[in-house]
Structures are given as C-alpha cells and as structure tokens.
Amino acid sequence: MKYLSAVLGHIGGTVLLLVRSLKYVGTLPHQFPRFIEQCYLIGYTTLPIVTILSFFIGSVLALQSGYSMENFGAKQFIGTLVGLSMARELGPMMVAILVAGRVGSAITAELASMQVYQEIDALETMNIPPERMLVMPRLAAILCMMPVLAIIANLCGWYGGALVCQYTHFISVDSQAYFAALKRFMEPKDIIDGLIKAEVFGFVIVLVCCYTGLSTRGGPREIGASVTKAVVSSLILILVLDYFVTKIQL
Amino acid sequence: MSSTYTASPFVGKTFGVTVSHLTKQFGRSTVLKDINLEVRPGEIFAIMGPSGSGKSVLLKHIAGLETATSGEVRIGEYDAADPATRDKVHLALVFQAGALFNSLSVYDNLALYPREHRLYDEAGIRERVMHALSILSLEKAVKKFPSELSGGMKKRVAIARALVMEPQLLLYDEPTSELDPVMSATISEIIATLREQTAVTSIVVTHDRSLAMSIADRMAFIMEGKIRATGTPADFKQPSDPVIANFLHPVVDLKNPRFKQLEHNYE
Ligand SMILES: Nc1ncnc2c1ncn2[C@@H]1O[C@H](COP(=O)(O)OP(=O)(O)O)[C@@H](O)[C@H]1O
Ligand SMILES: [Mg+2]
C-alpha cells in the first residue's frame, strides 16, 4: 500500500515536471548552446556503442534465423526478418536500453548532485527555474537524437546481417539477395513506427531520469541510490511501453 | 584590502522581512520554535547562535526554499514561500557551502544570473562580473572551476555572485566562516558599503562576533530553535543573560571534568 502510493506519487511528480517544463518550450532558441551541448552528450557520445551493438545484434539475428530457416528452405527471407525486426523492434529497443544506461544514469547523477549540493536551491533563489535550464534542453535534445541513433542502429544491424549471410557457409545468401528481400517487404511505415517508438522511449527515459535526479534528497549516498532507481525504472518503462506502443501501431 | 564596493545605483524598493510564529519540524524534531523577527527595510540584521541552532534553516525559509510547518515569513507584503514572490523581490542567498555551479567556471557562475534574465549585453555583464571579482581579489580565479578552489575562495565567489545579482534582499549564511581576518574585514566593508549605496536589506547569519558587532544595526540570538534575545549591538556589549554572555565570550576551562577521560587516554 505504502509502495503503491509512492509509485503513484512519482508518476504524478513526473507528469507535473513535464507540464512545468513544457511552459519553457519558447525559451529554447535562447538556450541553443545548451541544447547543442546536450545533443552532443546524448547523441555523439552514445554513437560508438550503438554502432557496435546493433551490428552484432543484426549479425546474431541473421545467424540464428539462418540456422533455423535452412531446415525448411526459407533462407531467402532472412533479409526480410532481420530488416523488419531491427526496424520495428530491436533497433529502437536497443538504443533505448543504451540511452537509459549511458545517458539516463548520467543525467540523474548530475541533477541529483546539483540537488544535494544545493545548486538547485541556488538556481531557485536566482529565479531561474531548473525546468527551463536543465530539463527543457535535455528533452529537446533527446527528441532530436533518438531518431538519428535509431536509424544508425538499423543500418548497422542490416549490414551486420548481410555480412553474416554472405560469409557463413551454411547460409551463403549474397548481400544483393539479402537486401532485395529486406526491401521487398519493408514499407516506410515500418521504419517510421520504429522511429516513433524510439522517440517515445527516449522522451520517457529523460523525463524519468530528470525527475528522479531533481527529487533526490540527502547526501552522496542518495545520489547513487537515485541513479539505480532511475535506470531500473527506465528499463521497466521501456519494456512495458514497448508492448503498448507496438499494440497501437499494429 | 581597501577596495570599497561601488554598487551601481539601484532602482527599486526596499523590503523588510517579517517572520511570525515560524515553526519548522523535520520528522519528529522541531528545529524552529515559534520564531518572531522583524527586519526593517534597509537595515543590516545579524543572527547569531551556536551551530545546529537552526540559523541556516531560518534563512532558507526567508529565501523561500523551505515551507514552514506553521507560521509565515513575509518579505514586504509578499509571502516568502510563494514562488511568485521571486518575480517581485530580487533576493540573493550566499549559501554556507557556496553552492557554486560545479559545471561552470567562476566567470560563468557570476554571469549566469544576468545572462538568464538578460539584464545586460555581454560587455555589460563582463564589466560587472570583473568588478565583483576584483573586490574579492578573485581576478586569478576567473577561469577556474569550483572544484579547483579552496573553501574560502568558494565562499568569496559565492559572495561575488550575490553582488552581481544586485539584490534588494541579501542573505548571508556565515559569510566569513572560512576566511582569514583580512578577508573577513573586506566582507564587513562590503556589507556596510552596500547598505550605504543601495537600498539593500541584509540579513547576516554569523558566528563572527566582531563582524556582527561592527556592522549590524540590530541582531538576534537564536538558541535551540528559539529566539533568545533581540537588540542593538550596544545592548550586547555587556549581556546580562549568562547564556549569551558565555556564547559571546566563552570561558576556556582546561579543568573541565568532561576532558578527564581524554587525559586518561593519553597517559
Ligand atoms: N533537511 C533537514 N532534514 C532534517 N533535519 C535538518 C535538515 N536541515 C537541518 N536539519 C536540522 O536542523 C537543525 C538546525 O540546522 P541548521 O539550521 O543547519 O543549523 P545552523 O544553525 O548551524 O545553521 C540541526 O539539528 C539539523 O540537524
Ligand atoms: Mg548553518
């Protein structure tokens, strides 16, 4: 019961933070340098790990499906399978998980330590709302960077699959055939659905992490606790939201 | 340190602060107990008291950073706890630990307020920031980050940051606690000069007897969350209250039985 009311309180607080932050959309042009800085931190620094992981996820996907599809002679459809799974599901999901672990944790730790060391109090006495200076630029940046990261993840995953198909002896589907199969059943909607998913995930992660960071009270110990809490909540939310967003999209 | 502070002529109202029946509880412990204070517009008001007596918590209530369990704080006619008050009263708080922005250089810490509120152009901001830094002899620290500063330097940067804000109500939380005597004297000068040149009302929380005695118009003693006495510095020259007398002029008793155990340990 106590736990439930705490969860409801956090949901309420997060929604409230969103509403208060949205008031400052108009200030974004004045905060352009901050926005760019966040784009850099969120997008650019996550890029290498996104590339590597999605490449290997695409490869494994091709390997596993090649192994099972070989039995009933459906090897020519590996491209379709890898293409659609990456675009609709694995690309956005994997980017979201990486963003939660890499960006979400950093945001929470930064805002939590600003709270603990009274920097947030200082901002408030200066009449500079933290929602304007700290939350809004991060939300805007994640909305810009998520589609970019998701598209890159898709491309890397597709090429990973193609390489495996061509050079694994029991599959040996050349990349032309692979990409032909990939294109044949892929519609723009599949890609767009995936990007929308990525946007939803990214937005929720950043919002939850900002809220958790800003609502930290206490000392250095609580900063660590907040980071854990924010990352775990983000991961749970990603998986739960994934189901509902997919359901709406299909 | 002879550089006196020349504040830009400040247009605006002066605000007094009225604390009435303020009580604050954290969980079960009552930190402030029915505090009543009247700070008049434009005066320098010192609050003294032993550590842990609730001085910082009181200051946070005045700054609107804590909500009272009961009672209220008014700044002029405005409620200090109402966020809208910040649009009407320009207040600055020098935090006990500085509360500098760790990700910003000293320069950017000072420039943040005028930039965010778009008070001046970059040149105007630069001039004000450099002026405030020079008063506190911080020219060499302009480009440094807070993590590269000593405790006393952080405190001075925090004071400089408050000066740049050109506030109408300036709250200091132990401004001289980590400073050497020369720098402490400079802080006294700054607080006194500001009062002469601008309409600022200052509330200074301090342990520093000489600071309070030399600059305060009036002062209050807070002990265990209660106001013990209020008056002018002259009233406390020869305090009749033994508790306050002991706080202002503590007697060092080397034969205190509390230290018996210590002696044993070293035998
Ligand atoms: N956020 C808080 N939660 C619980 N107790 C607090 C909090 N802030 C201060 N206190 C308690 O209130 C009392 C007064 O603290 P403070 O105002 O910081 O003392 P000081 O007079 O030294 O500035 C202390 O006993 C402290 O433990
Ligand atoms: Mg204190």
Side-chain angles (χ1 to χ4, degrees), chain B residues 191-208:
Chain B
I191 300 174
T193 317
L194 268 180
R195 193 253 319 263
E196 267 158 42
Q197 299 190 347
T198 70
V200 72
T201 306
S202 310
I203 301 180
V204 188
V205 162
T206 183
H207 293 300
D208 187 338

Side-chain angles (χ1 to χ4, degrees), chain A residues 34 119 124 126-127 132, chain B residues 86-87 100 113 116-117:
Chain A
R34 244 172 236 150
E119 292 181 36
E124 278 177 16
M126 293 174 144
N127 204 7
R132 181 177 86 195
Chain B
R86 299 219 173 93
D87 296 328
L100 302 179
Y113 182 84
E116 284 295 310
H117 293 282

Side-chain angles (χ1 to χ4, degrees), chain A residues 17 20-21 24 31 34 111 114-115 119-125 127-138 210 214, chain B residues 86:
Chain A
L17 180 67
R20 271 189 266 140
S21 306
Y24 300 110
Q31 305 201 64
R34 244 172 236 150
L111 299 195
M114 289 183 77
Q115 180 66 260
E119 292 181 36
I120 303 288
D121 283 348
L123 280 180
E124 278 177 16
T125 59
N127 204 7
I128 302 170
E131 291 88 357
R132 181 177 86 195
M133 189 177 131
L134 301 171
V135 182
M136 201 58 222
R138 285 174 170 78
C210 284
L214 287 176
Chain B
R86 299 219 173 93

Side-chain angles (χ1 to χ4, degrees), chain A residues 65-86:
Chain A
S65 50
Y67 171 73
S68 49
M69 283 177 166
E70 197 198 7
N71 297 329
F72 40 95
K75 281 199 300 195
Q76 68 271 34
F77 294 117
I78 296 177
T80 318
L81 193 137
V82 174
L84 281 179
S85 339
M86 277 312 290

Side-chain angles (χ1 to χ4, degrees), chain B residues 51-52 54-57 96 173-174 205 207:
Chain B
S51 64
K55 303 180 301 293
S56 296
V57 174
Q96 192 166 359
D173 198 347
E174 302 191 9
V205 162
H207 293 300

Side-chain angles (χ1 to χ4, degrees), chain B residues 48-68:
Chain B
M48 296 193 76
S51 64
S53 55
K55 303 180 301 293
S56 296
V57 174
L58 174 59
L59 221 47
K60 281 192 199 160
H61 279 85
I62 298 173
L65 294 171
E66 292 276 6
T67 41

Side-chain angles (χ1 to χ4, degrees), chain B residues 105-120:
Chain B
S105 68
V106 166
Y107 183 89
D108 290 333
N109 259 282
L110 269 67
L112 184 71
Y113 182 84
R115 273 184 190 150
E116 284 295 310
H117 293 282
R118 281 182 275 157
L119 299 180
Y120 310 104

Side-chain angles (χ1 to χ4, degrees), chain B residues 8 20 25 176 219:
Chain B
S8 54
S20 36
Q25 292 177 318
T176 58
M219 55 201 288

